[in-house]
Amino acid sequence: MNKTRVFLLLTTLVIILASSMTALAQTPTVAIGSPTGGSTVDTNLLVDVSGTYTNAPVGATVLVQLFSSVLLDSRSLALDGSGNWFANDLDLTAVPKGTSGYIIAYLVASDLSTLATSSTVSVTWGFPVPTAEPTFTPSPTATFTPTSTATEIFTATPTATGTQVGTATTTPTPTMTKTPSLTPPPAATITILSPLNESIFPTGVVVSVVGTSTNLLANGLTVRALNANSDVLAEASVIPDVSGNWIANLTVNVPLGTRGKIYVFAPRPGDGFVYASARVTVTYGGPCVVRTDWFVYTVQAGDTLFRIANRVGSNINELALANCLDNTNLIYVGQPLRVPRQPAAPPTPNPTTNLRILTPLPNGTVDTSDRVNVAGTGKGIAGYSIVVRALNQAGEVLGQQVAVASAANAAGDSSWQTALFISVPPGTPGSIYAYAVSPANGAIVADELIQVTYGGASSVEPTPRPTGEAIEGAIEVIINTPVDNQTFVLANPVVNGRVVGLTDGTLVLRALDAESNVLGEASGSLTPISESESSWQFALPFDVPTGTRATIYAYVTDPLTGVVAGADAVNVVVGESNANPFVTIIDPLPYAIVPLDEPVTITGYGARLFEGTVLVRLLDDQGGVLAEAVTTVDSPNAGTGGEGQWQLTLDVNAAAGTRGSIYAFATSAQDGSVITAARRYVTFGDPSDATNFVQITTPLPGTLISADNALLIAGRADLNSGEAVTVQVFDEVGNILIEEPRPINPVDGAAYGTWDVILELQNLQPGTRLRVNAFTTSSFDGSILSSDSVQLTYAEAGGG
């Protein structure tokens, strides 16, 4: 009898192994070929990353991410079927030389699920800057970036957030623990010695740009050759020598007589703010001669060079060359311009292609104490690049960002939004100029120009969030109805329970699906029933197919810090149950802080699983596996699909405050594919245990937001992190929608303080995934000390 049992077991294992080998042969893969692990990447040049992939389905892409202690850059790449991928011209010049980092690549399906993850490639970004005084003149380091499109970005962002979560297997990088200096650095200066202003800059050959500097930060400076439209013709990154002298070699290839500028600037690490700059006007190749053989057109009110070019069958750069313009942003009413043909009548507004700036308002005063938020809409521009510029009266570019227009809504409108750094004295007049660039041919298809006045800090403070006394003592939230692992009836979606240790305040309910996506939310006030206890009851409507497994989560937050003070959760089946396999997680609760000083015990429930087996992984927020193990459900019929609880214990090695998830799943006996799974988002370790920590306590990950309600973002931060936290909101393609610095308010008797901001988000498409990022920076060099982020979803106005 035993021999028969062993034979059957071996036969089953052989079948499973054969199935697994077949599946493995068709398993998608992705790998990084260059740079290699352990190498030093020269960040004075634009960085190229390349690799291979196999068995990629139609519509799949490769997502490449470059890290130091934070995400530095990412690139999503379409696949051509060759099995090779290339991510070229990644600009990491702002990363301090000698910084340790790594690269990882994901193969991503069209539905944004991760198909494969590469091995992590550890690198050093840039050759470390020597500390001893050199005894020679440093050789110039330059990188040449010829381009014909307007892609210059003067205001880099601290992160280039993507929304894709991969399944990397890296060990998490601990939070940075630099302590800011209390002494600000002295003022920085940049001087261009050669070429001289209004000189000739030769073309087609290497030309040295020479200058001096004082008090620059370790990341050095960037030298750019620009045409009249501020397009980047060539670029070099330079580290000055110990005396502040620098040399950059540029090669420019443009038509003889093209006007432009040599622009040199020093970006601050962390947020990319330009803290020192210099520029000179040049003519490329030789003297510029106005085209006197062309017709004369007189500039009218409302004209831009793009609109004139459209009417005369030309383009911006051709008109700039013909008229010896050194700034295409600066034309004035009554100015004579040479044009190749008589202009057509002013066109009627195009109903199918247009662009509008909604924020800021025309002729308004904009607050330049923070980033200036610029937003708008347009028709016929879905997926187009929207170049947004802040200009002064001289037409000089004060700040620039490139956004991507969203998909069109039912009315054909696409939205876009970005934020600009602008540093000018209050009262400076200027304009905001935005134009849409076709991804097919780089042509400008629509534009908008509004006049503004740049001001200082706004006199109107954001609405403060309601605050109260901190909750004292332990709080226990108890869900009475529904009962764990029982039916939840959507026709009468009432949830009720008690709170022990609290008699007033607000309780929030949240319905989650198996992947912890938010299905619905509701909130209500507590009703006192004794001196130390309260009750609650209210409806939690949401819409899912019958038989869906869901989690009902109830929680109370501390009014002072926003931290979850008490919570409970039950797993339910919505409507009629079915015979499908399932697995759920009972403990830890959703969004719990998992202690790191002892092994983590994870419990759950499962039914109809192959051999009763449950696989459990602890993942960081990049998908890296922190720990994993296998267990079985506690049932005498586990081997034949019986149901019951399961439990296991895992050790976790992670930096305090690491966001991640617990992922439990079961696989098919036939092909090893995942047949059912459950996920809970958690934080590994108390963030306040880390030096210079920043924590977003509100909103919780996955929160649904809409234009109906202002978005409250709040959290805690170590007082050693400085006096302020910068809060950013990114859309799913990495555009900065809003940025707000907020003061850290000390908490009595604590080593941390609280911060908060209330924001309004508009003109976004329903379903847009957003990421909130909060970070602190060094007061000495602007580098990021610590950061935290959560992902949200923008819902229909009036909906959940």
Side-chain angles (χ1 to χ4, degrees):
M1 192 69 176
N2 289 336
K3 290 183 178 179
T4 302
R5 186 180 181 91
V6 170
F7 174 76
L8 290 175
L9 179 58
L10 290 175
T11 303
T12 302
L13 290 174
V14 169
I15 294 172
I16 294 173
L17 181 61
S19 300
S20 299
M21 292 297 290
T22 301
L24 184 61
Q26 300 174 349
T27 299
T29 66
V30 64
I32 299 172
S34 176
T36 57
S39 61
T40 298
V41 180
D42 187 356
T43 54
N44 289 321
L45 308 174
L46 294 179
V47 174
D48 296 336
V49 182
S50 61
T52 59
Y53 63 91
T54 61
N55 301 316
V58 175
T61 58
V62 168
L63 175 68
V64 185
Q65 294 184 327
L66 291 74
F67 292 85
S68 57
S69 59
V70 296
L71 180 66
L72 301 172
D73 202 348
S74 64
R75 189 73 59 84
S76 183
L77 309 170
L79 305 181
D80 59 8
S82 67
N84 299 308
W85 55 265
F86 303 90
N88 295 327
D89 298 339
L90 295 156
D91 188 355
L92 302 183
T93 53
V95 179
K97 303 299 185 283
T99 298
S100 297
Y102 61 94
I103 308 171
I104 195 164
Y106 306 103
L107 188 61
V108 182
S110 57
D111 64 358
L112 298 184
S113 62
T114 300
L115 301 172
T117 306
S118 72
S119 297
T120 301
V121 175
S122 298
V123 296
T124 300
W125 299 121
F127 295 96
V129 180
T131 56
E133 182 174 345
T135 57
F136 55 89
T137 301
S139 300
T141 56
T143 176
F144 311 118
T145 316
T147 177
S148 59
T149 60
T151 57
E152 183 186 10
I153 300 178
F154 287 95
T155 53
T157 61
T159 57
T161 333
T163 57
Q164 178 61 41
V165 177
T167 56
T169 58
T170 60
T171 300
T173 303
T175 305
M176 294 178 66
T177 58
K178 293 170 61 177
T179 301
S181 168
L182 298 178
T183 304
T189 64
I190 296 175
T191 303
I192 301 173
L193 301 178
S194 176
L196 299 175
N197 193 45
E198 295 295 349
S199 63
I200 302 297
F201 192 98
T203 57
V205 297
V206 177
V207 178
S208 294
V209 179
V210 181
T212 62
S213 61
T214 60
N215 304 317
L216 297 191
L217 303 178
N219 60 313
L221 50 82
T222 299
V223 182
R224 286 176 175 168
L226 309 175
N227 65 8
N229 195 45
S230 292
D231 301 331
V232 181
L233 307 175
E235 179 178 289
S237 296
V238 180
I239 303 295
D241 65 18
V242 293
S243 299
N245 301 312
W246 53 266
I247 302 174
N249 289 340
L250 303 178
T251 301
V252 176
N253 290 290
V254 290
L256 182 74
T258 297
R259 296 277 285 170
K261 288 181 172 62
I262 302 301
Y263 175 57
V264 184
F265 63 98
R268 188 169 61 197
D271 58 10
F273 175 75
V274 175
Y275 64 92
S277 66
R279 69 186 76 203
V280 294
T281 300
V282 296
T283 304
Y284 298 110
C288 182
V289 179
V290 175
R291 289 290 299 265
T292 56
D293 56 325
W294 282 9
F295 297 99
V296 175
Y297 171 78
T298 302
V299 176
Q300 308 296 312
D303 276 345
T304 65
L305 203 62
F306 159 68
R307 296 171 188 172
I308 296 171
N310 273 356
R311 292 178 58 196
V312 301
S314 183
N315 59 62
I316 285 177
N317 289 332
E318 184 180 47
L319 292 186
L321 177 62
N323 290 275
C324 297
L325 302 179
D326 55 42
N327 191 335
T328 60
N329 300 309
L330 183 61
I331 58 174
Y332 55 89
V333 174
Q335 180 181 3
L337 292 178
R338 293 288 177 166
V339 294
R341 53 193 61 83
Q342 291 287 3
T348 57
N350 189 340
T352 60
T353 305
N354 59 52
L355 184 144
R356 292 185 301 154
I357 298 173
L358 302 180
T359 303
L361 296 175
N363 302 311
T365 298
V366 296
D367 177 10
T368 55
S369 61
D370 301 327
R371 282 187 192 255
V372 175
N373 297 312
V374 184
T377 61
K379 291 185 182 294
I381 60 171
Y384 283 33
S385 295
I386 310 299
V387 180
V388 183
R389 289 175 173 170
L391 309 172
N392 62 14
Q393 277 191 314
E396 295 175 327
V397 177
L398 304 175
Q400 175 172 302
Q401 280 283 13
V402 180
V404 177
S406 70
N409 60 18
D413 292 318
S414 298
S415 59
W416 53 269
Q417 186 166 341
T418 189
L420 302 173
F421 264 134
I422 304 173
S423 180
V424 292
T428 299
S431 58
I432 303 294
Y433 181 50
Y435 58 90
V437 180
S438 168
N441 55 19
I444 299 175
V445 299
D447 73 341
E448 174 83 330
L449 177 74
I450 63 169
Q451 303 299 319
V452 296
T453 299
Y454 302 114
S458 172
S459 59
V460 180
E461 286 294 320
T463 305
R465 70 179 177 100
T467 59
E469 296 295 326
I471 294 177
E472 297 182 359
I475 301 297
E476 183 181 8
V477 175
I478 302 169
I479 298 176
N480 292 333
T481 304
V483 178
D484 194 58
N485 211 28
Q486 298 298 312
T487 299
F488 186 75
V489 181
L490 288 181
N492 184 31
V494 174
V495 184
N496 63 54
R498 299 176 296 130
V499 178
V500 178
L502 190 66
T503 58
D504 62 357
T506 300
L507 181 136
V508 181
L509 280 179
R510 173 175 283 194
L512 307 170
D513 67 10
E515 280 288 321
S516 279
N517 297 309
V518 179
L519 302 174
E521 285 191 333
S523 61
S525 299
L526 300 176
T527 301
I529 57 177
S530 73
E531 292 183 354
S532 61
E533 191 172 334
S534 57
S535 65
W536 51 270
Q537 176 175 301
F538 37 96
L540 177 61
F542 58 96
D543 186 20
V544 294
T546 185
T548 299
R549 295 277 165 177
T551 299
I552 307 300
Y553 176 64
Y555 68 99
V556 172
T557 60
D558 187 302
L560 183 64
T561 65
V563 173
V564 173
D568 192 16
V570 294
N571 296 308
V572 298
V573 56
V574 179
E576 293 291 332
S577 183
N578 54 43
N580 294 332
F582 72 87
V583 62
T584 62
I585 300 171
I586 297 174
D587 193 59
L589 294 178
Y591 318 113
I593 294 178
V594 177
L596 297 177
D597 56 356
E598 59 186 14
V600 180
T601 299
I602 305 161
T603 60
Y605 200 88
R608 296 176 283 282
L609 311 178
F610 173 62
E611 296 291 347
T613 301
V614 178
L615 297 90
V616 180
R617 288 177 178 167
L618 307 186
L619 308 171
D620 63 20
D621 62 354
Q622 296 297 321
V625 178
L626 303 174
E628 60 183 339
V630 178
T631 188
T632 56
V633 297
D634 183 13
S635 168
N637 302 318
T640 56
E643 64 179 89
Q645 283 200 358
W646 54 265
Q647 180 174 305
L648 54 72
T649 301
L650 291 171
D651 290 314
V652 187
N653 181 19
T658 298
R659 289 191 181 268
S661 63
I662 299 172
Y663 184 58
F665 62 101
T667 58
S668 166
Q670 283 72 40
D671 58 12
S673 61
V674 175
I675 57 173
T676 183
R679 184 189 304 273
R680 284 205 170 164
Y681 291 112
V682 296
T683 300
F684 297 106
D686 190 336
S688 63
D689 290 340
T691 304
N692 293 328
F693 83 94
V694 174
Q695 180 190 13
I696 299 172
T697 58
T698 301
L700 293 177
T703 295
L704 302 175
I705 59 174
S706 75
D708 287 346
N709 300 302
L711 173 61
L712 168 64
I713 305 172
R716 303 183 297 166
D718 191 334
L719 294 176
N720 288 325
S721 296
E723 298 179 350
V725 169
T726 300
V727 181
Q728 297 175 320
V729 179
F730 294 87
D731 66 12
E732 52 199 358
V733 295
N735 297 317
I736 299 178
L737 305 181
I738 294 176
E739 177 174 286
E740 292 280 352
R742 304 304 299 165
I744 301 174
N745 304 306
V747 173
D748 291 341
Y752 60 82
T754 61
W755 53 269
D756 58 78
V757 62
I758 295 180
L759 304 175
E760 292 188 2
L761 296 173
Q762 299 177 345
N763 305 314
L764 295 174
Q765 300 298 315
T768 298
R769 305 184 79 180
L770 305 173
R771 180 167 290 276
V772 175
N773 189 46
F775 65 93
T776 55
T777 57
S778 165
S779 61
F780 177 71
D781 63 6
S783 60
I784 294 178
L785 296 173
S786 184
S787 65
D788 190 19
S789 65
V790 296
Q791 186 169 286
L792 315 174
T793 299
Y794 192 78
E796 290 274 11

